[in-house]
Amino acid sequence: MDIALFSPSSLFANDDDSSSGEENTETQQSFVERKHQFPGMELIVREFSFHQLNANLLWPGTFAFAEWLVQNRPLIEGRHCIELGSGTGALAIFLRRLCNLDITTSDYNDQEIEENIAYNCRVNGIAPALPHIKHTWSDSFPNRDPDWDLIIASDILLYVKQYPNLIKTLSFLLTSYKPKENESQPRPKDEPTGQSFSLPRPSFLMSWRRRIGKEDESLFFTGCEDAGLEVKHLGSRVYCIKPRETTTNGNQIVNS
């Protein structure tokens, strides 16, 4: 995977940092624990002092996405969810504590990431730890019959060269979706939520707050559309991506 040419910590504005500033540096400075304020709760998050895959810090977009999810809570309640690019696991931990969301974390095939997410689960009162899947984008997915009806991610479009790999994984999860076997009744594709929109099953809900060139950013959305996925901007830089609808004869519907 490409390595960023800048320090992730430099992206945090000093006057707009969601961290309380309290730090507890562990032996040999390998980790730093910070208290982070999420909507309605405080989480203790252990972050790597450095990680070559940028899984070490919470990006600012995580907090903005958390606020959006709280404001649109009916959309996610009762969903079976997986998070791509979980990093520290903070967003998934927040959602489990917020509404007992059935959520699985996932990230690059790296043991340190998995162990750190498990640690963060424990210190925030989640035991056993959330289910976790080690997966490198575009590799064969460990679960060949994915049953997650909601996929979420925050600020995962940093590496432009990884877009084709990310889209390949995303397409698999969306187009190979099978409902959980223990569901007594099939859930409708769209459910009324009292919101001005609803999330289909399955769908990918993504918040993207990082700033890169618009030409680079558009490569991801164009790549999704080329792969047969439909992209909808929900506002506040939150996007819903789902399989493109098909007609009864199997042809894709082309939206005008």
Side-chain angles (χ1 to χ4, degrees), residues 145-206:
D145 295 311
D147 58 4
W148 297 283
D149 57 46
L150 178 62
I151 307 160
I152 65 170
S154 175
D155 284 351
I156 62 170
L157 301 187
L158 177 61
Y159 300 105
V160 177
K161 290 183 179 180
Q162 290 297 317
Y163 289 176
N165 295 333
L166 171 57
I167 292 170
K168 182 177 179 181
T169 289
L170 187 58
S171 296
F172 169 76
L173 291 173
L174 290 172
T175 61
S176 302
Y177 163 73
K178 295 182 179 179
K180 295 179 68 173
E181 292 181 358
N182 60 358
E183 288 182 351
S184 57
Q185 295 180 351
R187 292 172 170 173
K189 186 176 181 181
D190 294 276
E191 293 180 348
T193 63
Q195 307 286 323
S196 59
F197 55 88
S198 58
L199 294 179
R201 300 177 186 268
S203 58
F204 174 50
L205 193 61
M206 180 189 75

Side-chain angles (χ1 to χ4, degrees), residues 1-244:
M1 177 176 287
D2 303 322
I3 304 303
L5 300 180
F6 47 82
S7 169
S9 60
S10 68
L11 299 174
F12 287 89
N14 292 332
D15 59 351
D16 189 32
D17 194 341
S18 296
S19 170
S20 68
E22 297 183 31
E23 298 184 6
N24 174 30
T25 305
E26 296 187 353
T27 306
Q28 299 180 350
Q29 304 292 323
S30 57
F31 295 99
V32 175
E33 283 189 13
R34 292 185 173 94
K35 294 180 179 179
H36 289 277
Q37 296 297 329
F38 280 77
M41 73 180 72
E42 180 179 81
L43 295 182
I44 299 172
V45 182
R46 188 177 75 171
E47 305 166 66
F48 295 105
S49 297
F50 169 80
H51 195 281
Q52 64 176 349
L53 302 174
N54 277 341
N56 53 324
L57 295 175
L58 271 70
W59 301 111
T62 299
F63 303 99
F65 194 26
E67 290 186 6
W68 189 94
L69 291 169
V70 169
Q71 294 168 3
N72 295 275
R73 181 171 170 172
L75 294 174
I76 64 172
E77 288 183 321
R79 303 295 289 252
H80 182 47
C81 180
I82 184 171
E83 182 188 17
L84 300 183
S86 296
T88 63
L91 181 60
I93 291 169
F94 168 71
L95 293 174
R96 170 58 67 87
R97 290 186 53 179
L98 174 72
C99 58
N100 197 32
L101 186 67
D102 177 6
I103 187 166
T104 296
T105 59
S106 70
D107 211 305
Y108 186 81
N109 188 354
D110 181 271
Q111 187 63 28
E112 285 186 329
I113 294 175
E114 180 179 18
E115 291 174 353
N116 195 48
I117 291 175
Y119 175 90
N120 286 328
C121 286
R122 290 193 300 272
V123 297
N124 288 286
I126 297 178
L130 297 173
H132 180 79
I133 292 178
K134 292 185 289 188
H135 171 67
T136 301
W137 295 338
S138 87
D139 286 356
S140 296
F141 204 81
N143 185 338
R144 300 308 300 169
D145 295 311
D147 58 4
W148 297 283
D149 57 46
L150 178 62
I151 307 160
I152 65 170
S154 175
D155 284 351
I156 62 170
L157 301 187
L158 177 61
Y159 300 105
V160 177
K161 290 183 179 180
Q162 290 297 317
Y163 289 176
N165 295 333
L166 171 57
I167 292 170
K168 182 177 179 181
T169 289
L170 187 58
S171 296
F172 169 76
L173 291 173
L174 290 172
T175 61
S176 302
Y177 163 73
K178 295 182 179 179
K180 295 179 68 173
E181 292 181 358
N182 60 358
E183 288 182 351
S184 57
Q185 295 180 351
R187 292 172 170 173
K189 186 176 181 181
D190 294 276
E191 293 180 348
T193 63
Q195 307 286 323
S196 59
F197 55 88
S198 58
L199 294 179
R201 300 177 186 268
S203 58
F204 174 50
L205 193 61
M206 180 189 75
S207 173
W208 172 239
R209 292 270 171 170
R210 296 288 300 283
R211 299 293 181 176
I212 60 175
K214 287 192 175 295
E215 290 186 2
D216 286 339
E217 183 178 290
S218 66
L219 292 174
F220 174 74
F221 298 111
T222 300
C224 286
E225 292 171 352
D226 291 343
L229 303 177
E230 179 182 329
V231 179
K232 181 178 181 180
H233 182 210
L234 302 181
S236 192
R237 294 184 67 80
V238 175
Y239 301 84
C240 177
I241 299 176
K242 65 177 183 177
R244 190 174 299 147

